[in-house]
Amino acid sequence: LAVMFVHSFGEGSGVGVSFSGQKGWSQGALVTLAIGAHNIPEGLTVATVMVSNGSTPWSAFIWSIATSLGQPVCAVPSYIFVETFTALLP
């Protein structure tokens, strides 16, 4: 579970950075939809492994959601970082 949680920070960073630049909204929406679609089988995998190891379905559901909470936590600072420092690029 910890690995999946840490993994979500990279995905969140990708979402935040994708909203920056000239193609901001359209590129950001595309990346967000792609990662969102990717998270469905990822969450099902986490839940399936947990239930097969004796967890309740409700507990597996909560942990599947919790492993993705790093995405919004990292997306906003990533966007702000890129928008702040883009002006310093040549």
Side-chain angles (χ1 to χ4, degrees):
L1 292 175
V3 170
M4 295 304 294
F5 181 70
V6 172
H7 165 81
S8 73
F9 281 97
E11 293 177 344
S13 179
V15 168
V17 169
S18 69
F19 275 97
S20 297
Q22 296 173 342
K23 297 181 181 179
W25 177 252
S26 62
Q27 181 174 319
L30 177 65
V31 171
T32 301
L33 287 172
I35 290 179
H38 156 81
N39 284 340
I40 294 169
E42 191 174 86
L44 287 171
T45 301
V46 169
T48 302
V49 170
M50 288 187 68
V51 169
S52 71
N53 285 322
S55 294
T56 65
W58 181 249
S59 175
F61 172 74
I62 295 298
W63 280 107
S64 293
I65 299 296
T67 59
S68 293
L69 291 179
Q71 291 177 13
V73 168
C74 195
V76 173
S78 296
Y79 172 78
I80 293 169
F81 181 86
V82 171
E83 286 295 307
T84 301
F85 291 101
T86 299
L88 299 176
L89 294 174

